[in-house]
């Protein structure tokens, strides 16, 4: 079941000039899409030179109040659409109707972006290379599991170094390659103006002695309105030296004026490995490995994965699924509500993900909650408050040092030891390299994590030529990384940790406090400057 409404978050343009004399006049109208003739929500409609503006509702309707008498330029703009303006003449006490039909625009130099600027600015007005990804449009039509799925192939120059092979695993991210030999290659990450943990090596140690978790993937993609990416060293102009590897700005969904609108989504699917038998391929071995050459009756062919499944079916070792690799159940549940009045707007969402990988003990369970509230105190003062909480736990399947997991034991196994080839030889390993899949499954490597992120954004326009934005907030995350080796004497020749049992526990805590005050002043010296 899937129910979604076409909503988008549009960011306010920079404030321009002082207010004129106010009156009871109004401008209203309806905004539709040129191709489908469907109403467009969240379009910003403003009157040039007055500071008067509003967002269109779900029906496409907008209303501008207290419009001064005279002729004005009314502009409608929305990310992904071409900006449109119209001349409107307003008389005393009148209500003027002005409709707009917007057409989609592939390249938007006039697109409004917010990265690093108070109140937003046009793409052409900022000297840095900024890429915008409309997450709301993507998640509306496609199931997206994490931020890596969302950005892959949608932002040139943004590279994930590897594709995850298990649930809960992530990848380091690079923007236009490594920055320098001295600075980190990880881009800075901001959520609603608050800097969050940007390490790409979180979680416990896994096979190959690597940490393979990126906290960016903990964020719910369905809560994101858009993502803006500043590429390369130009990001340091706005965010300092640490941003030389680039900046990723995540902008979450906001409320919209109108009655409460609910959005409920249920996603069901499977995680599976495509053709594992074909990936292994046919291999050849001697029936008697101590009597070469391997030819004639002493030569036989086999497939390691098919052999492993045969051992499972014969009950050679305990295994709860029919085959070594199974179809893991992936499920996700999202519920959100948004709405508001001209003065208070809200967006509230909850999410629960429960995903099982291709091995029965590889799983990830995550609960998320978010609340965003915007308050318009006056035309000069607005306040946005954003809070999110994430709580989850993951158990991994690449838990054995150097070897990793079951795949290596099958790939480099000894077919001579298979019971149907040479009964009685290598009785315990049954043709696997060093240990049975059931041995590896006993090693318990997992990550428990929770994160709170809160921010407040105060926008203040005291005069027609001066605008300010103050952003404050905190991002605090806690983890509990565990590597548990049960006491298994049979495993001790391969893993010394198993002779007496071993347990490693790490409890890292990360805290980022952000305070960002930006002020923009504008003065027109002459008509040309």
């Amino acid at each position: 079941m899937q129910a979604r409404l076409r909503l988008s978050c549009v960011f306010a343009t920079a404030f321009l000039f002082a207010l004129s004399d106010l009156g009871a006049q109004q401008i209203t109208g309806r905004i539709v899409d040129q191709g489908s003739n469907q109403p467009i929500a969240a379009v910003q409609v403003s009157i040039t030179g007055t500071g008067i503006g509003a967002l269109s509702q779900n029906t496409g309707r907008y209303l501008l109040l207290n419009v001064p008498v005279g002729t004005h330029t009314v502009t409608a703009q929305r990310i992904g659409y071409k900006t449109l303006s119209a001349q409107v003449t307003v008389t005393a006490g009148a209500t003027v109707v002005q409709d707009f039909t917007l057409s989609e625009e592939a390249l938007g130099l006039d697109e409004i972006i917010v990265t690093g600027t108070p109140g937003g600015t046009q793409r052409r007005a900022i000297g840095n290379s900024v890429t915008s990804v409309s997450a709301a449009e993507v998640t509306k039509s496609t199931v997206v599991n994490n931020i890596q799925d969302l950005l892959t192939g949608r932002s040139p120059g943004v590279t994930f170094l590897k594709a995850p092979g298990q649930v809960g695993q992530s990848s380091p991210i690079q923007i236009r390659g490594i920055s320098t030999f001295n600075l980190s290659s990880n881009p800075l990450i901001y959520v609603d103006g608050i800097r969050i943990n940007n390490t790409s090596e979180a979680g416990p140690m896994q096979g190959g002695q690597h940490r393979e978790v990126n906290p960016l993937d903990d964020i719910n993609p369905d809560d994101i309105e858009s993502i803006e990416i500043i590429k390369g060293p130009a990001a340091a102009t706005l965010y300092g030296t640490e941003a030389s590897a680039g900046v990723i700005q995540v902008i979450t969904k906001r409320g919209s004026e109108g009655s409460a609108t609910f959005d409920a989504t249920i996603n069901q699917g499977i995680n599976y490995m495509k053709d594992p038998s074909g990936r292994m391929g046919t291999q050849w071995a001697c029936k008697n490995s101590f009597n070469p050459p391997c030819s004639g009756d002493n030569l036989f062919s086999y497939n390691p994965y098919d052999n492993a499944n045969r051992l499972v079916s014969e009950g050679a070792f305990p295994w709860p699924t029919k085959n070594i690799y199974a179809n893991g159940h992936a499920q996700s549940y999202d519920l959100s509500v948004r709405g508001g009045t001209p003065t208070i707007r809200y967006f509230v969402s909850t999410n629960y993900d429960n995903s099982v990988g291709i091995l029965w003990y590889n799983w990830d369970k995550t609960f998320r909650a978010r609340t965003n509230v915007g308050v318009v105190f006056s035309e000069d003062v607005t306040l946005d408050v954003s809070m999110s909480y994430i709580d989850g736990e993951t158990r991994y399947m690449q838990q054995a040092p150097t070897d990793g997991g079951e795949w290596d034991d099958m790939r480099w196994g000894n077919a001579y030891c298979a019971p149907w080839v040479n009964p009685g030889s290598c009785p315990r390993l049954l043709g696997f390299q060093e240990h049975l899949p059931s041995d590896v499954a006993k090693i318990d490597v997992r990550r428990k994590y929770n994160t709170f992120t809160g921010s407040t954004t105060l926008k203040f326009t005291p005069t027609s030529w001066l605008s300010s934005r103050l952003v404050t907030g905190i991002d605090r995350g806690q983890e509990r990384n565990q590597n548990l080796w049960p006491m298994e004497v049979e495993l001790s020749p391969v893993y010394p940790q198993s002779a007496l049992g071993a347990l490693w526990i790490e409890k890292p805590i990360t805290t980022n406090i952000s305070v960002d005050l930006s002020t923009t002043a504008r003065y027109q010296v002459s008509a040309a400057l």
Side-chain angles (χ1 to χ4, degrees), residues 313-374:
S313 65
E314 293 178 355
F317 53 86
W319 202 251
T321 59
K322 181 179 179 180
N323 298 314
I324 290 290
Y325 297 130
N327 293 334
H329 184 197
Q331 51 188 321
S332 177
Y333 306 89
D334 290 271
L335 176 63
S336 65
V337 58
R338 69 196 308 177
T341 66
T343 56
I344 299 179
R345 297 165 184 168
Y346 57 87
F347 172 81
V348 181
S349 72
T350 59
N351 160 262
Y352 177 71
D353 287 343
N354 187 345
S355 185
V356 181
I358 58 176
L359 288 175
W360 57 271
Y361 58 82
N362 173 215
W363 44 261
D364 178 73
K365 301 176 183 179
T366 309
F367 170 79
R368 305 176 179 94
R370 172 172 294 279
T371 300
N372 292 342
V373 179

Side-chain angles (χ1 to χ4, degrees), residues 170-367:
S170 308
S171 169
I173 181 174
Q174 289 182 355
I175 300 177
R176 286 183 175 170
I178 299 176
S179 55
T180 71
F181 289 103
N182 297 320
L183 298 174
S184 171
S185 61
N186 295 328
L188 295 185
I189 301 174
Y190 286 79
V191 177
D192 294 331
I194 298 301
R195 181 174 172 177
I196 68 170
N197 181 19
N198 71 321
T199 181
S200 60
E201 296 181 346
M205 284 287 187
Q206 299 185 54
Q209 297 300 290
H210 296 297
R211 303 180 188 271
E212 301 183 340
V213 175
N214 190 331
L216 179 63
D217 279 338
D218 294 340
I219 302 173
N220 181 18
D222 286 315
D223 286 347
I224 300 174
E225 188 65 48
S226 64
I227 298 177
E228 295 179 357
I229 302 169
I230 302 183
K231 301 177 181 179
T237 305
L238 295 173
Y239 292 89
T241 306
E242 286 185 288
S244 59
V247 172
I248 297 176
Q249 176 81 270
V250 178
I251 303 160
T252 61
K253 294 178 179 178
R254 290 290 186 266
S256 59
E257 185 178 341
S259 58
T261 302
F262 291 86
D263 188 349
T265 306
I266 299 176
N267 292 318
Q268 301 288 327
I270 60 172
N271 294 309
Y272 68 98
M273 177 183 286
K274 184 178 180 180
D275 190 21
S277 179
R279 290 174 184 267
M280 281 289 186
T282 300
Q283 300 187 24
W284 301 83
C286 287
K287 289 184 179 180
N288 187 344
S289 61
F290 305 105
N291 186 22
C294 289
S295 60
D297 294 338
N298 195 33
L299 181 67
F300 74 100
S301 63
Y302 71 102
N303 184 288
Y305 182 72
D306 294 339
N307 282 1
N309 287 338
R310 179 175 176 180
L311 290 169
V312 170
S313 65
E314 293 178 355
F317 53 86
W319 202 251
T321 59
K322 181 179 179 180
N323 298 314
I324 290 290
Y325 297 130
N327 293 334
H329 184 197
Q331 51 188 321
S332 177
Y333 306 89
D334 290 271
L335 176 63
S336 65
V337 58
R338 69 196 308 177
T341 66
T343 56
I344 299 179
R345 297 165 184 168
Y346 57 87
F347 172 81
V348 181
S349 72
T350 59
N351 160 262
Y352 177 71
D353 287 343
N354 187 345
S355 185
V356 181
I358 58 176
L359 288 175
W360 57 271
Y361 58 82
N362 173 215
W363 44 261
D364 178 73
K365 301 176 183 179
T366 309
F367 170 79

Side-chain angles (χ1 to χ4, degrees), residues 412-488:
W412 304 107
N414 186 353
Y416 171 79
C417 295
W420 48 81
V421 177
N422 287 294
S425 63
C426 308
R428 184 177 183 280
L429 293 180
L430 303 175
F432 290 93
Q433 182 191 20
E434 293 178 327
H435 37 261
L436 296 172
S438 55
D439 296 336
V440 184
K442 295 176 182 178
I443 306 172
D444 191 341
V445 177
R446 66 179 66 196
R447 169 187 179 237
K448 292 184 179 180
Y449 54 96
N450 62 77
T451 303
F452 172 80
T453 304
S455 68
T456 61
T457 302
L458 177 65
K459 296 179 182 179
F460 180 48
T461 310
T463 67
S464 60
W465 54 271
L466 185 67
S467 61
S468 297
R469 182 188 67 179
L470 174 63
V471 181
T472 61
I474 185 174
D475 174 76
R476 181 176 176 85
Q478 301 183 80
E479 291 186 11
R480 184 183 186 276
N481 301 323
Q482 167 188 298
N483 291 67
L484 172 63
W485 298 74
M487 186 171 62
E488 296 283 346

Side-chain angles (χ1 to χ4, degrees), residues 109-122:
L109 291 177
D110 290 329
E111 178 181 321
I112 302 303
I113 57 176
V114 300
T115 300
T117 60
T121 188
Q122 290 182 348

Side-chain angles (χ1 to χ4, degrees), residues 63-106:
L63 177 62
L64 303 177
L65 300 173
N66 300 322
V67 180
V69 173
T71 301
H72 305 283
T73 300
V74 181
T75 301
Q77 53 188 349
R78 183 187 190 275
I79 294 176
Y81 287 86
K82 185 177 181 179
T83 299
L84 197 62
S85 299
Q87 294 291 326
V88 177
T89 300
V90 180
T91 58
T95 297
V96 180
V97 177
Q98 177 62 53
D99 296 332
F100 290 94
T101 301
L102 301 185
S103 60
E104 294 185 358
E105 184 179 42

